[in-house]
Amino acid sequence: MRKEDLRIVFMGTPEFAVGTLKALVENEFHVVAVVTQPDKPVGRHGSVLRAPAVKEYANSVGIPVLQPEKMKDPVFIEQLQSYHPDLQVVVAFRMLPEIVWNMPRFGTFNVHASLLPQYRGAAPINWAIINGETKTGVTTFFLDHEIDTGRIIMQKEFDIPEEADVEYVYDHLMELGAQTAIETIEMILDGDGIIETTSQQEMIATNNQCSMVPGQPLHPAPKLFKETCEINWNQPAKKVYDFIRGLSPVPKAWCWMKTEKASDLSLSIFKSSLTHTPCQETPGTFMADKKRLFVATADEWLEILDLQLAGKKRMLARDFLNGFKL
């Protein structure tokens, strides 16, 4: 089957998904429609609607866009069937019902930003960095009834630099995910829909795949909430350091800063540095020294480099100390 005859429906919402959609278009695959989330109300009163990044790109290249409120809506199902998809490609989207993922004759595959079965869930990049992983990657797999559990088609690894934050890894995995999606579709075309896949349950049982280390437990990647992102200073400095970079720049790590003359202040921290200097102070104690800002952890001082007080602009620690006395 020629790639120009393969009718593809793409499903995704954020910028991360745009990388793959753009690669499909630029490689001249036939994307007949895009499915994304409804426009989101923004602004103080929610009076302005913001289109998803995928919709904006699809509109720019003339691809029809569907934005169902509910994936089982009969009207949406009828619209989707009218495009006669041979294959569906999903990147950073919601969970699909069987009537949707089982519709195309070649099935539906997802591009996931981890080496499955590790880091199943909504925030795989964040949690890999928070847990101090030195390696992650992308996985393409066919959808089935449970989230992120389908048979694996292809995986590509990516080394995480020790100082890398979410933004750095996100950008590189977006590119790697697009490349892997293209190769996956080419494999499906070459086999006329018949390709070799690997069961995640077999990988878990044997621990012999690149994404598994013998004896290592499976790490989930659940959705992040504000309370999840509060820093616990009663941990070793390396754990706090990884936590901060695993949430930077979004959704961002934060803590309370206690002061004598004002109420507690909410402080977001975007970048820190390990000092390897032991400390005996109570964890969470802030200290300023020659325009440098430090916080005590369970074992050593951690230097704070980039931060933001609630209601203020983001700034370097030395600029913060110019106008704020601890």
Side-chain angles (χ1 to χ4, degrees):
M1 184 178 190
R2 300 180 307 167
K3 70 177 184 180
E4 52 267 33
D5 296 328
L6 182 72
R7 299 177 63 83
I8 298 174
V9 168
F10 182 87
M11 301 184 180
T13 298
E15 181 188 7
F16 188 86
V18 174
T20 299
L21 177 57
K22 186 177 180 182
L24 293 177
V25 172
E26 292 179 348
N27 281 273
E28 299 181 345
F29 284 97
H30 189 194
V31 181
V32 294
V34 160
V35 181
T36 190
Q37 298 275 32
D39 293 0
K40 184 177 180 181
V42 295
R44 178 170 298 182
H45 304 292
S47 57
V48 178
L49 293 178
R50 177 179 295 168
V54 161
K55 177 182 178 180
E56 291 182 348
Y57 177 77
N59 285 341
S60 73
V61 293
I63 301 175
V65 176
L66 304 178
Q67 295 179 275
E69 291 282 351
K70 297 180 180 180
M71 299 302 292
K72 291 183 179 180
D73 183 345
V75 174
F76 164 67
I77 298 299
E78 185 177 349
Q79 288 177 320
L80 190 61
Q81 289 173 331
S82 71
Y83 287 101
H84 305 291
D86 298 307
L87 177 70
Q88 290 176 155
V89 179
V90 181
V91 185
F93 197 50
R94 65 174 95 173
M95 189 171 181
L96 303 179
E98 182 176 3
I99 193 173
V100 173
W101 57 256
N102 200 33
M103 186 181 298
R105 59 173 176 149
F106 292 152
T108 300
F109 77 81
N110 184 282
V111 181
H112 187 75
S114 81
L115 296 173
L116 291 173
Q118 290 289 11
Y119 297 103
R120 294 168 172 165
I125 303 176
N126 300 91
W127 284 107
I129 300 174
I130 288 171
N131 289 334
E133 302 285 3
T134 59
K135 188 185 298 295
T136 184
V138 295
T139 302
T140 54
F141 67 97
F142 284 116
L143 294 190
D144 62 12
H145 294 92
E146 301 297 327
I147 189 167
D148 297 338
T149 60
R151 296 187 66 86
I152 289 175
I153 307 168
M154 183 181 296
Q155 292 187 317
K156 288 185 180 293
E157 295 184 356
F158 175 77
D159 293 328
I160 305 175
E162 185 177 356
E163 72 285 355
D165 61 12
V166 166
E167 186 172 42
Y168 177 90
V169 180
Y170 180 101
D171 289 344
H172 283 76
L173 290 189
M174 180 167 61
E175 181 178 340
L176 186 61
Q179 173 189 336
T180 308
I182 295 298
E183 292 183 21
T184 298
I185 296 173
E186 291 174 344
M187 184 186 300
I188 291 171
L189 280 172
D190 290 343
D192 198 27
I194 301 174
I195 60 174
E196 183 178 348
T197 58
T198 304
S199 164
Q200 291 191 45
Q201 286 304 115
E202 291 177 5
M203 294 172 68
I204 294 170
T206 60
N207 279 351
N208 66 354
Q209 299 294 324
C210 63
S211 61
M212 296 293 293
V213 175
Q216 181 181 1
L218 290 180
H219 297 293
K223 186 177 180 179
L224 293 163
F225 298 93
K226 182 175 175 61
E227 56 269 25
T228 315
C229 302
E230 184 175 3
I231 300 170
N232 176 10
W233 299 109
N234 293 296
Q235 298 183 97
K238 180 62 166 61
K239 290 286 292 184
V240 179
Y241 169 78
D242 290 336
F243 187 79
I244 290 171
R245 68 192 183 96
L247 297 170
S248 179
V250 289
K252 65 190 176 184
W254 67 278
C255 66
W256 292 110
M257 175 180 278
K258 296 182 180 296
T259 64
E260 293 181 356
K261 296 183 179 181
S263 58
D264 294 351
L265 301 174
S266 176
L267 184 70
S268 299
I269 300 176
F270 298 94
K271 189 174 182 180
S272 64
S273 177
L274 296 168
T275 66
H276 305 294
T277 302
C279 72
Q280 301 299 321
E281 295 290 342
T282 302
T285 300
F286 282 79
M287 179 185 74
D289 180 33
K290 297 179 181 179
K291 299 301 181 184
R292 296 173 68 188
L293 182 61
F294 303 88
V295 186
T297 68
D299 59 353
E300 64 184 60
W301 291 102
L302 185 72
E303 183 173 6
I304 306 304
L305 303 175
D306 192 343
L307 50 80
Q308 182 179 20
L309 273 177
K312 304 293 183 180
K313 67 178 183 178
R314 179 175 169 177
M315 64 184 71
L316 298 177
R318 64 173 180 266
D319 297 326
F320 168 77
L321 292 172
N322 282 336
F324 186 90
K325 288 188 177 181
L326 294 179

